[in-house]
Short mmCIF file of all heavy atoms in Angstrom, two decimals:
data_model
loop_
_atom_site.label_atom_id
_atom_site.label_comp_id
_atom_site.label_asym_id
_atom_site.label_seq_id
_atom_site.Cartn_x
_atom_site.Cartn_y
_atom_site.Cartn_z
N VAL A 234 30.56 25.46 30.34
CA VAL A 234 29.27 26.06 30.68
C VAL A 234 28.31 25.90 29.51
O VAL A 234 28.71 25.55 28.40
CB VAL A 234 29.41 27.56 31.02
CG1 VAL A 234 30.28 27.77 32.24
CG2 VAL A 234 29.97 28.33 29.84
N ALA A 235 27.05 26.17 29.77
CA ALA A 235 26.03 26.16 28.72
C ALA A 235 25.00 27.24 29.03
O ALA A 235 24.55 27.36 30.16
CB ALA A 235 25.35 24.81 28.64
N ALA A 236 24.69 28.04 28.03
CA ALA A 236 23.59 29.00 28.13
C ALA A 236 22.39 28.32 27.48
O ALA A 236 22.47 27.85 26.35
CB ALA A 236 23.92 30.31 27.42
N LEU A 237 21.29 28.23 28.20
CA LEU A 237 20.15 27.48 27.70
C LEU A 237 19.30 28.32 26.74
O LEU A 237 18.68 29.31 27.13
CB LEU A 237 19.30 26.98 28.87
CG LEU A 237 20.05 26.08 29.84
CD1 LEU A 237 19.15 25.65 30.99
CD2 LEU A 237 20.61 24.87 29.13
N ASN A 238 19.34 27.94 25.50
CA ASN A 238 18.54 28.55 24.45
C ASN A 238 18.34 27.47 23.39
O ASN A 238 19.29 27.05 22.75
CB ASN A 238 19.25 29.76 23.85
CG ASN A 238 18.49 30.33 22.67
OD1 ASN A 238 17.29 30.12 22.52
ND2 ASN A 238 19.17 31.04 21.80
N VAL A 239 17.13 27.01 23.23
CA VAL A 239 16.89 25.87 22.35
C VAL A 239 16.68 26.26 20.89
O VAL A 239 16.67 25.39 20.03
CB VAL A 239 15.69 25.03 22.86
CG1 VAL A 239 16.01 24.41 24.20
CG2 VAL A 239 14.43 25.87 22.95
N THR A 240 16.52 27.55 20.59
CA THR A 240 16.29 27.95 19.21
C THR A 240 17.50 27.67 18.33
O THR A 240 17.41 26.94 17.35
CB THR A 240 15.92 29.44 19.13
OG1 THR A 240 14.82 29.68 20.00
CG2 THR A 240 15.55 29.85 17.73
N LYS A 241 18.65 28.26 18.67
CA LYS A 241 19.90 28.03 17.95
C LYS A 241 21.04 28.02 18.96
O LYS A 241 21.84 28.94 19.02
CB LYS A 241 20.13 29.14 16.92
CG LYS A 241 19.12 29.15 15.79
CD LYS A 241 19.45 30.25 14.79
CE LYS A 241 18.40 30.26 13.69
NZ LYS A 241 18.62 31.37 12.76
N PRO A 242 21.14 26.97 19.76
CA PRO A 242 22.15 26.95 20.84
C PRO A 242 23.58 27.07 20.34
O PRO A 242 24.45 27.54 21.06
CB PRO A 242 21.91 25.62 21.55
CG PRO A 242 21.16 24.78 20.57
CD PRO A 242 20.38 25.73 19.71
N GLU A 243 23.85 26.67 19.11
CA GLU A 243 25.20 26.76 18.56
C GLU A 243 25.63 28.21 18.33
O GLU A 243 26.79 28.49 18.09
CB GLU A 243 25.32 25.94 17.27
CG GLU A 243 24.58 26.51 16.08
CD GLU A 243 23.07 26.19 16.06
OE1 GLU A 243 22.58 25.50 16.96
OE2 GLU A 243 22.41 26.63 15.11
N GLN A 244 24.69 29.16 18.43
CA GLN A 244 25.01 30.57 18.25
C GLN A 244 25.10 31.34 19.57
O GLN A 244 25.32 32.55 19.57
CB GLN A 244 23.98 31.23 17.32
CG GLN A 244 24.05 30.70 15.91
CD GLN A 244 23.04 31.38 14.99
OE1 GLN A 244 22.33 32.29 15.38
NE2 GLN A 244 22.98 30.92 13.76
N ASN A 245 24.93 30.65 20.70
CA ASN A 245 25.10 31.31 21.99
C ASN A 245 26.54 31.80 22.13
O ASN A 245 27.47 31.14 21.68
CB ASN A 245 24.78 30.35 23.14
CG ASN A 245 23.32 29.95 23.17
OD1 ASN A 245 22.49 30.53 22.51
ND2 ASN A 245 23.03 28.93 23.95
N GLN A 246 26.71 32.94 22.76
CA GLN A 246 28.04 33.53 22.98
C GLN A 246 28.35 33.49 24.48
O GLN A 246 27.45 33.48 25.31
CB GLN A 246 28.05 34.99 22.52
CG GLN A 246 27.72 35.17 21.04
CD GLN A 246 28.89 34.82 20.16
OE1 GLN A 246 29.99 35.28 20.40
NE2 GLN A 246 28.65 34.02 19.14
N TYR A 247 29.65 33.52 24.81
CA TYR A 247 30.08 33.44 26.20
C TYR A 247 31.19 34.44 26.50
O TYR A 247 31.99 34.77 25.62
CB TYR A 247 30.59 32.02 26.53
CG TYR A 247 29.52 30.98 26.30
CD1 TYR A 247 29.40 30.34 25.07
CD2 TYR A 247 28.61 30.66 27.29
CE1 TYR A 247 28.40 29.42 24.84
CE2 TYR A 247 27.61 29.73 27.07
CZ TYR A 247 27.51 29.12 25.84
OH TYR A 247 26.52 28.21 25.63
N GLN A 248 31.22 34.90 27.74
CA GLN A 248 32.28 35.73 28.27
C GLN A 248 32.62 35.21 29.66
O GLN A 248 31.74 34.74 30.37
CB GLN A 248 31.84 37.20 28.44
CG GLN A 248 31.47 37.91 27.18
CD GLN A 248 30.96 39.33 27.49
OE1 GLN A 248 30.44 39.60 28.56
NE2 GLN A 248 31.12 40.21 26.53
N TYR A 249 33.90 35.31 30.03
CA TYR A 249 34.25 34.94 31.39
C TYR A 249 35.43 35.78 31.89
O TYR A 249 36.18 36.35 31.10
CB TYR A 249 34.53 33.45 31.54
CG TYR A 249 35.65 32.88 30.71
CD1 TYR A 249 36.96 32.91 31.17
CD2 TYR A 249 35.39 32.27 29.49
CE1 TYR A 249 37.98 32.37 30.42
CE2 TYR A 249 36.41 31.72 28.75
CZ TYR A 249 37.71 31.77 29.21
OH TYR A 249 38.72 31.22 28.47
N MET A 250 35.53 35.85 33.21
CA MET A 250 36.60 36.59 33.86
C MET A 250 36.91 35.92 35.20
O MET A 250 36.00 35.53 35.92
CB MET A 250 36.16 38.04 34.14
CG MET A 250 37.16 38.82 34.97
SD MET A 250 36.54 40.38 35.65
CE MET A 250 36.04 41.24 34.20
N LEU A 251 38.19 35.81 35.50
CA LEU A 251 38.62 35.32 36.80
C LEU A 251 39.08 36.53 37.60
O LEU A 251 40.18 37.05 37.39
CB LEU A 251 39.75 34.29 36.67
CG LEU A 251 40.16 33.59 37.95
CD1 LEU A 251 39.00 32.79 38.56
CD2 LEU A 251 41.35 32.66 37.70
N GLU A 252 38.18 37.02 38.46
CA GLU A 252 38.51 38.21 39.27
C GLU A 252 39.67 37.88 40.19
O GLU A 252 39.72 36.82 40.79
CB GLU A 252 37.31 38.65 40.09
CG GLU A 252 36.23 39.28 39.25
CD GLU A 252 35.06 39.79 40.09
OE1 GLU A 252 34.88 39.37 41.26
OE2 GLU A 252 34.30 40.61 39.55
N GLY A 253 40.61 38.80 40.27
CA GLY A 253 41.82 38.58 41.04
C GLY A 253 42.95 38.08 40.16
O GLY A 253 44.09 37.97 40.60
N PHE A 254 42.65 37.77 38.88
CA PHE A 254 43.66 37.28 37.94
C PHE A 254 43.55 38.03 36.61
O PHE A 254 44.52 38.59 36.13
CB PHE A 254 43.50 35.78 37.74
CG PHE A 254 44.61 35.13 36.96
CD1 PHE A 254 45.82 34.86 37.57
CD2 PHE A 254 44.42 34.78 35.63
CE1 PHE A 254 46.85 34.27 36.84
CE2 PHE A 254 45.44 34.18 34.91
CZ PHE A 254 46.66 33.93 35.52
N ASP A 255 42.37 38.03 36.00
CA ASP A 255 42.15 38.73 34.73
C ASP A 255 41.88 40.21 34.97
O ASP A 255 41.30 40.60 35.98
CB ASP A 255 40.93 38.14 33.99
CG ASP A 255 41.18 36.74 33.47
OD1 ASP A 255 42.34 36.41 33.18
OD2 ASP A 255 40.20 35.98 33.38
N LYS A 256 42.26 41.03 33.99
CA LYS A 256 41.99 42.46 34.08
C LYS A 256 40.71 42.85 33.34
O LYS A 256 40.19 43.93 33.53
CB LYS A 256 43.18 43.24 33.52
CG LYS A 256 44.45 43.04 34.33
CD LYS A 256 45.52 43.99 33.89
CE LYS A 256 46.85 43.79 34.57
NZ LYS A 256 46.91 43.33 35.89
N ALA A 257 40.22 41.98 32.47
CA ALA A 257 39.02 42.28 31.68
C ALA A 257 38.31 40.97 31.33
O ALA A 257 38.85 39.88 31.50
CB ALA A 257 39.42 43.02 30.40
N TRP A 258 37.09 41.11 30.84
CA TRP A 258 36.32 39.95 30.38
C TRP A 258 37.00 39.33 29.16
O TRP A 258 37.47 40.04 28.27
CB TRP A 258 34.91 40.37 30.00
CG TRP A 258 34.04 40.66 31.17
CD1 TRP A 258 33.85 41.88 31.76
CD2 TRP A 258 33.25 39.73 31.90
NE1 TRP A 258 32.99 41.75 32.82
CE2 TRP A 258 32.60 40.44 32.93
CE3 TRP A 258 33.03 38.36 31.80
CZ2 TRP A 258 31.74 39.83 33.84
CZ3 TRP A 258 32.18 37.76 32.71
CH2 TRP A 258 31.55 38.49 33.70
N TYR A 259 37.01 38.00 29.10
CA TYR A 259 37.49 37.28 27.92
C TYR A 259 36.29 36.97 27.05
O TYR A 259 35.32 36.37 27.50
CB TYR A 259 38.19 35.98 28.33
CG TYR A 259 38.63 35.16 27.15
CD1 TYR A 259 39.71 35.54 26.39
CD2 TYR A 259 37.93 34.01 26.79
CE1 TYR A 259 40.11 34.81 25.29
CE2 TYR A 259 38.32 33.27 25.69
CZ TYR A 259 39.40 33.67 24.95
OH TYR A 259 39.79 32.94 23.86
N GLU A 260 36.35 37.40 25.81
CA GLU A 260 35.27 37.16 24.84
C GLU A 260 35.52 35.79 24.21
O GLU A 260 36.36 35.64 23.32
CB GLU A 260 35.28 38.25 23.76
CG GLU A 260 35.13 39.66 24.29
CD GLU A 260 33.72 39.98 24.75
OE1 GLU A 260 32.78 39.29 24.33
OE2 GLU A 260 33.58 40.91 25.55
N ALA A 261 34.79 34.79 24.67
CA ALA A 261 35.03 33.41 24.22
C ALA A 261 34.26 33.05 22.95
O ALA A 261 34.47 31.98 22.40
CB ALA A 261 34.66 32.44 25.33
N GLY A 262 33.36 33.93 22.49
CA GLY A 262 32.55 33.60 21.32
C GLY A 262 31.65 32.41 21.62
O GLY A 262 31.03 32.35 22.67
N VAL A 263 31.62 31.43 20.73
CA VAL A 263 30.77 30.26 20.92
C VAL A 263 31.47 29.15 21.71
O VAL A 263 30.87 28.12 22.00
CB VAL A 263 30.26 29.71 19.56
CG1 VAL A 263 29.41 30.74 18.85
CG2 VAL A 263 31.42 29.26 18.68
N LYS A 264 32.73 29.37 22.07
CA LYS A 264 33.49 28.38 22.85
C LYS A 264 32.92 28.30 24.25
O LYS A 264 32.82 29.30 24.96
CB LYS A 264 34.96 28.78 22.88
CG LYS A 264 35.84 27.77 23.52
CD LYS A 264 37.29 28.23 23.45
CE LYS A 264 38.14 27.34 24.32
NZ LYS A 264 39.47 27.88 24.51
N ARG A 265 32.55 27.10 24.69
CA ARG A 265 31.85 26.90 25.96
C ARG A 265 32.76 26.49 27.12
O ARG A 265 32.29 26.13 28.18
CB ARG A 265 30.77 25.84 25.79
CG ARG A 265 29.69 26.22 24.82
CD ARG A 265 28.64 25.14 24.65
NE ARG A 265 28.44 24.38 25.87
CZ ARG A 265 28.32 23.06 25.93
NH1 ARG A 265 28.40 22.33 24.84
NH2 ARG A 265 28.11 22.45 27.07
N ASN A 266 34.08 26.51 26.91
CA ASN A 266 34.96 26.08 27.98
C ASN A 266 36.17 27.01 28.08
O ASN A 266 36.43 27.80 27.20
CB ASN A 266 35.39 24.62 27.79
CG ASN A 266 36.06 24.39 26.45
OD1 ASN A 266 36.27 25.32 25.68
ND2 ASN A 266 36.36 23.15 26.16
N GLY A 267 36.87 26.89 29.19
CA GLY A 267 38.07 27.68 29.42
C GLY A 267 39.00 26.96 30.37
O GLY A 267 38.64 25.93 30.96
N ARG A 268 40.20 27.51 30.53
CA ARG A 268 41.22 26.88 31.38
C ARG A 268 42.09 27.96 32.00
O ARG A 268 42.45 28.92 31.32
CB ARG A 268 42.07 25.93 30.57
CG ARG A 268 43.21 25.30 31.33
CD ARG A 268 44.05 24.40 30.43
NE ARG A 268 45.26 23.98 31.07
CZ ARG A 268 45.38 22.89 31.82
NH1 ARG A 268 44.34 22.11 32.01
NH2 ARG A 268 46.54 22.58 32.38
N TYR A 269 42.43 27.76 33.25
CA TYR A 269 43.39 28.62 33.94
C TYR A 269 44.46 27.72 34.54
O TYR A 269 44.16 26.64 35.05
CB TYR A 269 42.72 29.41 35.06
CG TYR A 269 41.89 30.56 34.55
CD1 TYR A 269 40.53 30.40 34.32
CD2 TYR A 269 42.47 31.79 34.28
CE1 TYR A 269 39.77 31.45 33.84
CE2 TYR A 269 41.71 32.85 33.79
CZ TYR A 269 40.36 32.67 33.58
OH TYR A 269 39.61 33.71 33.09
N SER A 270 45.72 28.14 34.47
CA SER A 270 46.81 27.37 35.06
C SER A 270 47.85 28.32 35.65
O SER A 270 47.89 29.49 35.32
CB SER A 270 47.45 26.45 34.02
OG SER A 270 48.00 27.21 32.97
N GLY A 271 48.68 27.77 36.52
CA GLY A 271 49.73 28.56 37.14
C GLY A 271 49.22 29.64 38.08
O GLY A 271 49.85 30.68 38.22
N LEU A 272 48.09 29.39 38.72
CA LEU A 272 47.51 30.40 39.61
C LEU A 272 48.30 30.49 40.90
O LEU A 272 48.56 29.48 41.55
CB LEU A 272 46.05 30.04 39.94
CG LEU A 272 45.08 30.06 38.78
CD1 LEU A 272 43.73 29.47 39.20
CD2 LEU A 272 44.91 31.48 38.26
N PRO A 273 48.68 31.71 41.30
CA PRO A 273 49.34 31.87 42.60
C PRO A 273 48.34 31.65 43.73
O PRO A 273 47.13 31.70 43.52
CB PRO A 273 49.84 33.32 42.58
CG PRO A 273 49.23 33.98 41.41
CD PRO A 273 48.60 32.93 40.55
N GLY A 274 48.85 31.42 44.93
CA GLY A 274 47.98 31.25 46.08
C GLY A 274 47.07 32.45 46.26
O GLY A 274 47.48 33.59 46.02
N GLY A 275 45.83 32.20 46.63
CA GLY A 275 44.88 33.29 46.84
C GLY A 275 43.46 32.85 46.58
O GLY A 275 43.18 31.67 46.34
N SER A 276 42.56 33.82 46.59
CA SER A 276 41.14 33.56 46.36
C SER A 276 40.70 34.29 45.10
O SER A 276 41.05 35.46 44.90
CB SER A 276 40.33 34.03 47.57
OG SER A 276 38.97 33.72 47.39
#
């Protein structure tokens, strides 16, 4: 993902959550990507 901010884009922060799998938001910091594996069947 990318949050659009042209002033200092390297300082943008990110959070993500996979509802139905995660119990809380993951604080990714400046990391712009993530990965999920081994997901059971479902939505």
